Amino acid sequence: MSYLSKAVEKLKEIEASEQKNLETVSERLAQCIQNGGILHTFGCGHSSLLAQDAYYRAGGLVPVRPIAIEPLMLHEGARRSSDLERTPGFVDSYLEEEPVEAGDMVLVISVSGRNPAPIDVARYYKAKGVQVIVLTALAYSESVASRHPSGERLEDVADFVLDLHIPVGDAVMDLEGLDQSFSPLSSVAGTALLHDMFSRTVERLHEEGYEVPIFKSGNIDGSDEHNQRMMERFKRIGF
């Protein structure tokens, strides 16, 4: 089976399994936005790419903002990012500076759900009464021990969980005579799940008569005025 075929198969599995969770999360996110709230997204390493994917995105919701802790992202060194992700308490001083307010929501992304940095982010905001959505792979997480001093995995700290249904190790392709699986699927699954969540949120907001804050493509003539108005509505994001 080709990679694309496996990706399609996995997306169908996710669609069948995550309907209830997606409905619940999108309903809560719609309420958050109607009340003036923002969704803040966080991930380390390649998960940071998912956290950035919905930010300032043509066709995407405006009130979405990544928590960008640069040492945990890839561009300052991939090995360093991995080491720091495993360091308990590393994120705390950064989170103190983040403009997350009561009534906002935080989405934390980690495929394995075992490392301290994403767990600490979820714990930090949960303690402040901010609702936490987690995007993780439960079968993967449940197969490995937590690296957090508390013994908790990411899903243990969540208000809402979206399951990526990704196998342990992420890679989904195999060849006879090759002892290493290859071709990770978490980015495809993660992006699809998040945009399904956002799509459902848009539908809910529209059904309730709320002016849905969506960016238009900057490459379409006449979009600048619309996008500027949208950014004024959510100026505390700091585009």
Side-chain angles (χ1 to χ4, degrees):
M1 184 182 291
S2 70
Y3 178 85
L4 287 176
S5 295
K6 289 201 173 187
V8 169
E9 187 177 76
K10 182 59 64 178
L11 292 180
K12 288 181 178 178
E13 177 187 344
I14 291 170
E15 183 178 32
S17 302
E18 295 302 305
Q19 288 287 334
K20 183 177 179 180
N21 292 331
L22 285 163
E23 284 296 308
T24 300
V25 172
S26 63
E27 179 180 8
R28 182 63 192 90
L29 182 55
Q31 292 171 356
C32 168
I33 292 171
Q34 283 181 299
N35 292 331
I38 290 170
L39 177 67
H40 305 264
T41 60
F42 173 81
C44 302
H46 287 91
S47 292
S48 72
L49 304 179
L50 290 177
Q52 295 174 74
D53 184 68
Y55 172 62
Y56 196 62
R57 189 68 185 264
L61 283 167
V62 177
V64 178
R65 173 191 170 274
I67 297 173
I69 301 178
E70 295 200 13
L72 293 172
M73 300 162 75
L74 297 171
H75 65 281
E76 289 195 354
R79 290 181 63 183
R80 180 171 183 248
S81 169
S82 293
D83 290 342
L84 293 175
E85 183 179 4
R86 299 182 182 190
T87 304
F90 175 78
V91 298
D92 292 353
S93 62
Y94 291 90
L95 298 180
E96 292 170 1
E97 305 298 322
E98 291 293 326
V100 179
E101 300 180 359
D104 290 349
M105 298 183 76
V106 172
L107 168 73
V108 182
I109 306 162
S110 172
V111 179
S112 74
R114 72 182 307 198
N115 288 315
I119 295 171
D120 279 340
V121 171
R123 286 166 60 94
Y124 181 91
Y125 288 115
K126 191 79 177 289
K128 291 184 174 295
V130 176
Q131 291 193 306
V132 175
I133 309 165
V134 159
L135 182 65
T136 190
L138 290 177
Y140 194 155
S141 177
E142 291 166 0
S143 74
V144 295
S146 171
R147 292 185 172 125
H148 195 275
S150 69
E152 292 176 316
R153 294 189 299 257
L154 185 57
E155 67 268 22
D156 297 325
V157 197
D159 292 294
F160 310 101
V161 177
L162 295 175
D163 187 0
L164 289 162
H165 295 266
I166 295 299
V168 177
D170 198 352
V172 294
M173 299 296 289
D174 297 285
L175 287 176
E176 185 176 352
L178 183 64
D179 62 2
Q180 174 64 55
S181 297
F182 57 100
S183 297
L185 195 55
S186 57
S187 296
V188 172
T191 299
L193 251 176
L194 290 180
H195 284 292
D196 189 287
M197 177 188 76
F198 291 130
S199 295
R200 293 169 191 256
T201 302
V202 168
E203 290 168 1
R204 286 183 177 276
L205 290 170
H206 181 65
E207 288 170 0
E208 293 172 15
Y210 183 81
E211 184 187 5
V212 187
I214 301 172
F215 278 118
K216 293 183 178 180
S217 171
N219 296 310
I220 296 175
D221 291 340
S223 63
D224 289 353
E225 295 79 6
H226 168 85
N227 289 342
Q228 184 60 39
R229 184 169 63 86
M230 291 293 103
M231 288 186 284
E232 284 294 320
R233 283 178 63 184
F234 296 92
K235 61 175 62 178
R236 71 180 173 96
I237 292 178
F239 292 101

